[in-house]
Amino acid sequence: QRPRDCSGRRTVTNAPLVIPFGDPSCRDVSLSGGKGASLAVMTAAGMPVPPGFVVTSAAFFAAVNKTDLQVLAENQDLERLRGYVERALPPLELIAQHTSLLTEPVAVRSSACAEDSATASYAGQQETFLNIRGFDDIVKYIVECWLSFFSDRAVFYRRERGSLEDIGMAVVVQQMVDSQKSGVLFTVDPVQGRRDRMIVEAAFGLGEAVVSGSVTPDHYVLDLSGEVKRRKVVNDPVLDDHELKMLAELARKVVDLYGRPQDIEWAFDGDDSLFLLQSRPITTI
């Protein structure tokens, strides 16, 4: 048996606390959150996802008293709530066991159970920590991810778009790609609403810079076959036509897998291999 809702009220005691992407139970959103479950689904489909594991919502509820947490959340006593979560202890032995199978550095990413649904995206509401090395820091940032679920911004978003009862929280720990080029791909044009176009935004280095808006990316408009219809290059072109076709091919596979438009994060490493870092539904179409 596994948890049946995001609140944790029906979580059973034998639910796994840490699971790798390749474990079928990792595809359960109530355990792995939206981000973790999506990575597990794409891993199972044979897509080029860097390896990793999920510290599940069951681990979070094992580390806190969910009833006390629920009361504090409903009363919006966020200062006491965050102090309580800050003292919570993740399952150290299991995390060490699974971390030993990865090559550092790793990314530590929040993955809320109510995240990345077809009706609401929690993108940017919780934290992501990159280039993390060493067991102690991995554990530290797992707790930081738990804490980020109860920031003022995240609680406000859930109150407006979700539910304050949604306190299920998982954390993804994933081997990082040596990103030389990275960015995002929208499998439809989210501004024009055109389903016969894909939009690619790309920059050199880590894709987090594109997602956060800290750099101005190259902008490419593709048809569904990957042919470039329009491009706006900032300096030296980040992507060539062959790489854009590779991205379009991967995007078509992701859309076939999920059956709906997707917002995809991707990266090319130093060997020009393409990796799929994340995919979430586009909620504006």
Side-chain angles (χ1 to χ4, degrees):
Q1 285 185 297
R2 295 190 289 272
R4 293 168 55 195
D5 70 1
C6 293
S7 70
R9 289 170 297 186
R10 290 177 285 174
T11 301
V12 292
T13 56
N14 63 343
L17 305 183
V18 180
I19 41 179
F21 294 163
D23 189 314
S25 64
C26 197
R27 299 172 225 162
D28 184 340
V29 174
S30 68
L31 269 180
S32 301
K35 189 178 288 93
S38 176
L39 290 167
V41 167
M42 293 186 295
T43 296
M47 295 186 177
V49 175
F53 62 89
V54 174
V55 181
T56 68
S57 61
F60 177 62
F61 288 123
V64 298
N65 182 304
K66 58 182 177 285
T67 302
D68 291 346
L69 199 67
Q70 187 76 60
V71 170
L72 289 170
E74 290 174 351
N75 291 338
Q76 298 186 52
D77 191 348
L78 299 186
E79 185 174 348
R80 285 183 59 197
L81 190 156
R82 287 191 284 256
Y84 179 41
V85 173
E86 193 171 16
R87 296 188 295 272
L89 191 65
L92 302 181
E93 186 175 339
L94 288 171
I95 292 169
Q97 179 183 355
H98 285 80
T99 298
S100 69
L101 302 177
L102 303 180
T103 301
E104 294 181 356
V106 300
V108 182
R109 303 177 184 272
S110 307
S111 183
C113 290
E115 178 181 41
D116 295 348
S117 70
T119 57
S121 172
Y122 282 47
Q125 301 304 314
Q126 283 87 52
E127 293 290 345
T128 288
F129 302 95
L130 304 177
N131 288 314
I132 307 304
R133 296 179 182 271
F135 176 72
D136 289 346
D137 274 354
I138 291 172
V139 172
K140 170 187 173 182
Y141 288 113
I142 288 170
V143 175
E144 288 291 332
C145 284
W146 286 351
L147 280 169
S148 73
F149 195 55
F150 301 101
S151 69
D152 292 343
R153 179 179 63 177
V155 171
F156 174 80
Y157 185 90
R158 285 203 305 284
R159 187 166 60 241
E160 296 299 312
R161 297 292 301 275
S163 169
L164 288 176
E165 293 186 358
D166 295 338
I167 59 173
M169 182 63 163
V171 179
V172 169
V173 179
Q174 186 176 28
Q175 187 169 303
M176 288 199 64
V177 173
D178 181 20
S179 301
Q180 303 300 304
K181 306 173 180 183
S182 52
V184 296
L185 184 153
F186 301 94
T187 63
V188 297
D189 185 332
V191 176
Q192 303 296 328
R194 291 186 60 170
R195 294 176 178 266
D196 61 339
R197 293 289 184 265
M198 296 183 183
I199 306 297
V200 177
E201 295 190 336
F204 293 106
L206 292 174
E208 199 70 17
V210 175
V211 175
S212 67
S214 61
V215 300
T216 302
D218 284 3
H219 182 90
Y220 305 87
V221 180
L222 314 178
D223 66 18
L224 299 186
S225 71
E227 292 292 333
V228 180
K229 311 305 291 185
R230 190 167 66 252
R231 71 181 84 210
K232 182 179 180 181
V233 174
V234 177
N235 291 305
D236 294 330
V238 176
L239 298 172
D240 60 33
D241 287 356
H242 174 66
E243 291 166 331
L244 289 164
K245 281 188 172 294
M246 289 176 65
L247 279 168
E249 181 181 1
L250 180 62
R252 290 194 301 270
K253 291 178 180 178
V254 175
V255 171
D256 286 345
L257 178 65
Y258 287 108
R260 62 171 71 110
Q262 296 288 302
D263 169 0
I264 296 167
E265 295 182 26
W266 54 268
F268 284 98
D269 71 3
D271 297 322
D272 295 326
S273 297
L274 175 58
F275 290 91
L276 183 54
L277 306 181
Q278 189 176 330
S279 187
R280 64 175 71 89
I282 295 176
T283 58
T284 56
I285 298 294

